[in-house]
Amino acid sequence: MDKGFQLLPEQATRLAVEVDLLYYFLVGLSLFFSLLIFFLIYVFAVRYRRRSEDEAPMQIPGLLKLELAWTVIPFILVVIVFWWGASLYFKAYSAPPKDAMEIYVVGKQWMWYVQHPSGQREINQLHVPVGQAVKLTMATEDVIHSFYIPAFRIKKDVVPGRYTHLWFEATKTGVYHLFCAEYCGTKHSEMIGSVVVMEPAEFEKWLSGSESGETLASAGEKKFNQLGCGTCHARVPGARGPALVGLFGSSVKLADGRTVVADEAYLRESILNPGAKLVAGYNPLMPTFQGQINEAGLLQIMAYLKTLK
């Protein structure tokens, strides 16, 4: 941050290097063909200009090889750009490694609220270790926001009513800009923060030195009990709701015959709109908790449910 004028942001991930290579290739391609077209326009304008009023233009027959060349060459270049861009897109938004550190982020006018699994909470800052894959599970309390780290060349919209995911692996320590890249209201320009990339030992020291209180999962367990969820979801015969042990990531049979995966989106919908996907064998008795729990609390409950192996 604050390193004077830079044509492009610093490259702090491997993906950033690859994105910039594609960018340079596109710029070079554009410049080459722009200069070529201007040059040919000038040459043709001079060579084939009308020199007198009586001059009749000479008819030039078509040349099949030339027409094939200016059709095939652009086609090949377009295919290369498409393949390169698509491969980068899938690399950026593919599933993160299984050992990725999961951090929860909530966007709210006009701040980023970050929760670490061990309990640390941050506002407009995100501390991560270098060389470690980090998965962000993101939600918003109000309008659409967009989580954007220019030095990492990553950006993902955070949309109301759903979870979005983003992952990265920083390759260089330092402090990097964090922006909201989607207009979200009058103070959108003030919704800025920083990502602090630290050596693993320094990161562990930061974790142990910062105030954490209870872990994310324990906070979720407390909310789970405060809302009385265990009354119906007890793991006993005849319980009014399905058992939640081992639920996350498993397949759930619905009353309408469909089968869905119990991921974050399914659990969130089941808490806020229980009748949307009714589990087979159970009656629609669960009340909605819409308005009783915020997005940060929902993410805490998610963290708790993931521990119920």
Side-chain angles (χ1 to χ4, degrees):
M1 296 177 67
D2 300 325
K3 295 184 179 180
F5 174 78
Q6 290 179 296
L7 186 61
L8 290 176
E10 191 172 355
Q11 298 171 335
T13 62
R14 292 185 182 88
L15 181 68
V17 177
E18 298 181 42
V19 170
D20 286 355
L21 284 175
L22 176 57
Y23 174 76
Y24 293 139
F25 178 76
L26 290 172
V27 170
L29 205 62
S30 301
L31 286 174
F32 172 77
F33 280 103
S34 297
L35 293 174
L36 178 64
I37 289 169
F38 278 111
F39 174 74
L40 292 177
I41 289 175
Y42 174 78
V43 170
F44 291 160
V46 172
R47 181 174 180 179
Y48 299 107
R49 73 187 185 278
R50 190 175 185 182
R51 292 174 172 80
S52 69
E53 293 293 333
D54 300 328
E55 182 181 7
M58 180 179 62
Q59 297 299 316
I60 302 175
L63 187 59
L64 181 59
K65 291 182 180 179
L66 182 61
E67 293 180 4
L68 286 175
W70 68 44
T71 301
V72 173
I73 292 174
F75 174 76
I76 293 174
L77 291 174
V78 168
V79 170
I80 290 173
V81 170
F82 174 80
W83 173 82
W84 196 347
S87 63
L88 273 179
Y89 176 85
F90 285 112
K91 183 180 292 186
Y93 298 105
S94 62
K98 291 184 179 180
D99 62 345
M101 174 190 301
E102 186 165 18
I103 298 176
Y104 299 91
V105 179
V106 176
K108 184 178 181 180
Q109 292 174 318
W110 288 273
M111 55 172 267
W112 296 108
Y113 177 68
V114 178
Q115 302 181 90
H116 292 261
S118 52
Q120 286 77 8
R121 292 164 174 78
E122 305 182 76
I123 293 179
N124 292 335
Q125 270 200 333
L126 171 61
H127 286 75
V128 296
V130 68
Q132 167 71 51
V134 176
K135 175 188 175 184
L136 303 180
T137 298
M138 303 183 293
T140 172
E141 290 279 7
D142 35 56
V143 299
I144 297 177
H145 300 283
S146 189
F147 194 88
Y148 177 39
I149 309 174
F152 296 175
R153 309 299 192 270
I154 56 172
K155 182 178 79 70
K156 193 65 175 287
D157 288 350
V158 188
V159 183
R162 58 179 292 188
Y163 292 124
T164 53
H165 302 278
L166 185 66
W167 79 276
F168 60 85
E169 181 179 337
T171 56
K172 189 185 298 184
T173 59
V175 182
Y176 305 102
H177 289 293
L178 165 64
F179 297 109
C180 175
E182 184 75 32
Y183 180 73
C184 56
T186 55
K187 295 185 180 180
H188 163 69
S189 61
E190 298 178 19
M191 191 170 173
I192 57 177
S194 58
V195 179
V196 183
V197 182
M198 314 170 74
E199 292 291 347
E202 290 295 318
F203 178 72
E204 292 299 328
K205 185 178 179 181
W206 175 82
L207 283 179
S208 60
S210 59
E211 184 178 349
S212 60
E214 57 191 353
T215 65
L216 203 62
S218 61
E221 182 179 12
K222 183 182 293 184
K223 280 185 169 52
F224 183 86
N225 294 326
Q226 287 174 348
L227 295 172
C229 303
T231 305
C232 297
H233 292 284
R235 197 177 182 184
V236 296
R240 289 179 288 180
L244 301 179
V245 175
L247 173 64
F248 185 80
S250 65
S251 297
V252 178
K253 183 77 171 180
L254 302 182
D256 59 7
R258 291 181 297 159
T259 300
V260 297
V261 176
D263 55 9
E264 290 101 341
Y266 168 80
L267 295 174
R268 182 184 187 281
E269 185 179 42
S270 297
I271 295 171
L272 300 181
N273 186 15
K277 293 183 176 69
L278 187 64
V279 179
Y282 293 93
N283 295 318
L285 303 176
M286 181 174 169
T288 177
F289 290 93
Q290 184 81 47
Q292 300 182 51
I293 184 170
N294 59 18
E295 292 293 344
L298 283 169
L299 288 172
Q300 291 170 355
I301 290 179
M302 300 298 165
Y304 168 63
L305 295 179
K306 290 178 182 180
T307 66
L308 301 179
K309 305 293 185 180

